[in-house]
C-alpha cells in the first residue's frame, strides 16, 4: 500500500508549532545542543590530558638523559598518523613551568638538549620564574649543556623575572668558575663579531673611477 506524503507546513504553521514546544524534524533540542557541547569539552579535556602525559614522559626522559627513550617519543609523534604531534606537547611544562629542554639542560644532558632543539623545542621559553634553559644549565654548572645551548643561539642577555639576572649571574650564583668563563668567552666572541660586522658596514666605499 503506498505511503501517504506528509503535509508540508507553512512558515506560519512552523512558528505555531514552535510556540507549542514542538521541534521540527531534524532540529536539535536544547538538551541535545548542551550534550553535544559537553561531549566536545570532554573530548578536548581528554586530549589535553593525553598531551600532558606525553609531555611528562618527555621530561622524565630528558631528566634521566635517556636519549633512546627521548628519540622514541620524538620519532613516534612526528609520523603522519600520530594522534598527538610532538609540537603539541614538547613545550608543555610541569607545575613550575619547566619543560623538557629545561630539564635536559639543568641536568647537563647535552645529547638530549641537541635532540630537543632539533625537534623544535624553544630556547627562549622560560619557567614560572622567568628562567630559561641556559640560566638553569649555568646555575648547575652543566658546561656541556651550556655549550649546546650557546651553539643553538641561546641568548646571553635573557633576564629572569625577579632579579633581572642573566645567565652569567646564574653561573656566578652557583660558584661555577668554568661555566662563567664559557659564558664570558661567548660574550667576548659575540662582541668581537659585532665589532667586525660594524667595521665592515662602516668601511667607506672606494670612489668610482670613470674612464673616458
Amino acid at each position: 500500500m503506498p505511503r501517504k506524503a506528509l503535509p508540508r507546513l507553512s512558515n506560519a504553521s512552523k512558528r505555531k508549532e514552535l510556540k507549542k514546544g514542538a521541534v521540527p524534524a531534524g532540529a536539535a533540542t536544547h538538551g541535545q545542543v548542551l550534550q553535544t557541547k559537553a561531549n566536545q569539552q570532554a573530548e578536548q579535556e581528554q586530549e589535553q590530558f593525553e598531551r600532558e602525559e606525553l609531555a611528562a614522559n618527555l621530561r622524565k626522559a630528558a631528566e634521566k638523559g635517556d636519549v633512546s627513550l627521548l628519540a622514541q617519543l620524538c620519532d613516534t609523534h612526528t609520523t603522519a598518523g600520530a594522534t598527538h604531534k610532538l609540537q603539541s606537547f614538547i613545550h608543555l611544562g610541569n607545575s613550575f613551568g619547566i619543560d623538557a629542554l629545561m630539564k635536559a639542560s639543568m641536568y647537563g644532558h647535552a645529547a638530549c638538549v641537541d635532540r630537543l632543539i632539533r625537534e623544535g623545542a624553544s630556547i627562549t621559553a622560560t619557567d614560572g620564574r622567568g628562567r630559561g634553559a641556559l640560566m638553569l644549565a649555568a646555575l648547575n654548572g652543566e658546561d656541556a649543556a651550556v655549550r649546546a645551548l650557546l651553539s643553538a643561539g641561546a641568548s646571553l642577555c635573557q633576564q629572569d623575572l625577579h632579579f633581572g639576572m642573566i645567565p652569567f649571574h646564574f653561573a656566578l650564583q652557583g660558584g661555577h668558575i668554568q661555566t662563567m668563563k664559557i659564558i664570558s668567552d661567548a660574550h667576548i666572541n659575540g662582541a668581537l663579531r659585532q665589532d667586525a660586522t660594524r667595521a665592515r658596514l662602516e668601511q667607506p666605499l672606494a670612489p668610482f673611477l670613470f674612464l673616458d
Side-chain angles (χ1 to χ4, degrees), residues 3-62:
R3 297 175 61 183
K4 292 182 179 181
L6 295 174
R8 298 185 63 182
L9 296 176
S10 65
N11 290 336
S13 299
K14 288 180 182 177
R15 284 195 292 272
K16 287 180 182 179
E17 291 297 323
L18 288 173
K19 286 180 181 179
K20 292 178 183 178
V23 179
T29 66
H30 181 63
Q32 289 172 330
V33 171
L34 290 178
Q35 185 61 49
T36 300
K37 289 182 178 179
N39 292 341
Q40 290 174 345
Q41 183 176 355
E43 185 178 346
Q44 290 171 357
E45 289 175 354
Q46 178 62 27
E47 290 177 355
Q48 182 63 22
F49 173 78
E50 292 173 358
R51 285 193 292 267
E52 289 176 355
E53 283 289 301
L54 290 168
N57 292 336
L58 199 65
R59 291 194 300 270
K60 288 177 184 176

Side-chain angles (χ1 to χ4, degrees), residues 81-203:
T83 304
H84 299 292
K85 295 296 186 181
L86 181 63
Q87 292 303 317
S88 70
F89 64 85
I90 193 173
H91 63 284
L92 295 179
N94 59 16
S95 57
F96 300 100
I98 297 176
D99 63 17
L101 180 60
M102 296 176 205
K103 282 284 189 183
S105 301
M106 65 196 297
Y107 286 98
H109 303 307
C112 291
V113 170
D114 286 335
R115 179 61 189 260
L116 287 165
I117 291 174
R118 289 202 307 272
E119 295 294 347
S122 173
I123 58 175
T124 61
T126 57
D127 66 5
R129 297 169 61 183
R131 302 175 303 177
L134 181 57
M135 296 177 188
L136 295 171
L139 179 62
N140 291 344
E142 300 294 351
D143 296 342
V146 167
R147 289 191 176 95
L149 289 162
L150 290 174
S151 297
S155 174
L156 293 163
C157 301
Q158 188 177 27
Q159 297 178 325
D160 78 318
L161 289 177
H162 294 289
F163 305 105
M165 293 169 60
I166 60 176
F168 180 86
H169 295 144
F170 280 90
L172 177 63
Q173 183 182 23
H176 305 297
I177 296 175
Q178 180 60 26
T179 310
M180 292 163 60
K181 184 178 184 305
I182 293 170
I183 294 175
S184 294
D185 289 345
H187 272 291
I188 292 169
N189 292 334
L192 289 174
R193 284 195 296 270
Q194 288 179 357
D195 288 343
T197 302
R198 190 180 301 113
R200 287 197 300 271
L201 293 174
E202 293 176 354
Q203 184 177 2

